[in-house]
Amino acid sequence: MRYLSTRGASGSHVSAAQAIVQGLAPDGGLFVPENFPRLTCDAISQMAGQSYQQVAKRVMGLYLDEFSAVELSAMVDAAYTDNFDDRAIAPLVPIDERESILELFHGPTLAFKDMALQMLPRLLRASIDKTGETQDVLILVATSGDTGKAALEGFADAPGTGIVVFYPKDGVSPAQELQMRTQAGRNVGVVAVEGNFDDAQTGVKRIFSDPDFAEDLAAKGYRLSSANSINWGRLLPQIAYYVWSYTQLLAQRRIASGDEVNFVVPTGNFGNILAAYYAKRMGLPVHKLICASNRNNVLTDFFRRGDYDRNRPFYKTSSPSMDILVSSNLERLLFELCDRDASTVARWMQELNTGGRYAINDALRGTLERDFYADCCDEDAAAQTIGRLWRDKQYLLDTHTAVAQAVYERYQSDTADNRQSVIVSTASPYKFAYDVLMAVDPAATANPRDPFEASDSLAACTGSAVPARIAALKCETIRHEDSCGNDGMAEAVKQVISRFV
């Protein structure tokens, strides 16, 4: 299995290990597999009843043929162990006769990013060994909230690596910010950026494309890589949990082999739902991929009109991990949509970079509509959904999953589709305790900037337990105080790595 760039640079056909170490292709494109390995319905059915680890090994092994079965097995077994608070790793919880919720928040940082970022450091270490890379790898991350802490947790004190995370100041929840700023590790740095997530993401990409910075970094003994979902090693593990959820539907006898299902995914940077699309390309029986956005609804407009336009107001919402106007992973979908015409993708990305928009034709938009349904909801609708699901079914949603639930209900109203549907739940409600509390009990009083007061009130209100990892933050020390403007990110990296031990 080789990997190529979405923008088609010559010489970009690389091994999986090379793609994982590089993170971003030299031409600025994203690495994609040269083909999609197939999973037959019989093969999927045979996985029903297997553990999450067994399914993950099977799926990832199809893309990582340069890694031995022993190597891959060791990495998977180390990634998914008692660091998750549920033995199922990603339990599938039935809500009613046609809806289930895939809980991806049982890892060490209480967010779905753990599903990939417990695996990526191990993949990266093994890839460094396979490529013969002699320099340490510096991971740069732009986060809208959850990726940052999950990446810090995964790479803290990992040999041969350093990591610097940029997050938008006042653009993440109090709990998310505390999780990052209290992170221990001799090789970690956290920097608040004056701006939004798109500013942070643009700044990281600018650093990656700066040859002078790369030369200066090499002199310090580092080469750059990424832990965002632009890195193939971050995206690949996410494919596994879509296959896993289907095998769970089979094991629970909610579907028969070959039955199509829907996946409903709260979406910001497009990596999570892209993994579901890749699973479908592999043969997973999927009817619709339902793309759920908050008020930053650039993806909804794109799927409906074929026009991607980031020139619009940016909203800070109660689902901050989705507060994104430039969805990087959409580039990979575009590559498949235009039959892997890299020159067309490169042109669209140039138009986005210079003018903030691009458009696809009606024929391509029709192709999108066969696989995707897209809608959005605002904070009020999300809050109403949290409150209603708690009252009716005693199930507590976080603010992002509430967006997905609200959009799913609209999809059902629009289509009367009664297929089994899986709502992808991306975070613990306690990471956004104040907003969830207000949705469940609007009369409650709590300080919106105090995650502990809100968490205690939410626990008292619902009879649920505050996760131990949230409660433990009370005793943690703030270790990271760095901040910078959009134009100071490269200098901030230099200052942070000068303090690495």
Side-chain angles (χ1 to χ4, degrees), residues 395-412:
Y395 191 91
L396 199 59
L397 298 170
D398 86 286
T399 50
H400 303 73
T401 311
V403 171
Q405 178 69 29
V407 168
Y408 172 61
E409 291 170 6
R410 291 181 191 172
Y411 170 78
Q412 279 194 310

Side-chain angles (χ1 to χ4, degrees), residues 310-365:
R310 73 178 186 193
N311 301 308
R312 60 181 66 212
F314 176 88
Y315 300 105
K316 291 184 178 180
T317 75
S318 60
S319 47
S321 297
M322 299 161 66
D323 291 347
I324 295 172
L325 294 180
V326 180
S327 302
S328 291
N329 266 291
L330 190 62
E331 180 172 341
R332 285 182 166 117
L333 178 64
L334 293 171
F335 187 66
E336 305 303 331
L337 186 66
C338 67
D339 199 25
R340 299 196 154 201
D341 182 349
S343 61
T344 296
V345 174
R347 174 172 57 82
W348 284 332
M349 294 302 99
Q350 182 61 28
E351 291 173 1
L352 181 65
N353 186 50
T354 56
R357 66 177 299 272
Y358 60 86
I360 62 176
N361 60 40
D362 289 342
L364 294 180
R365 188 167 61 85

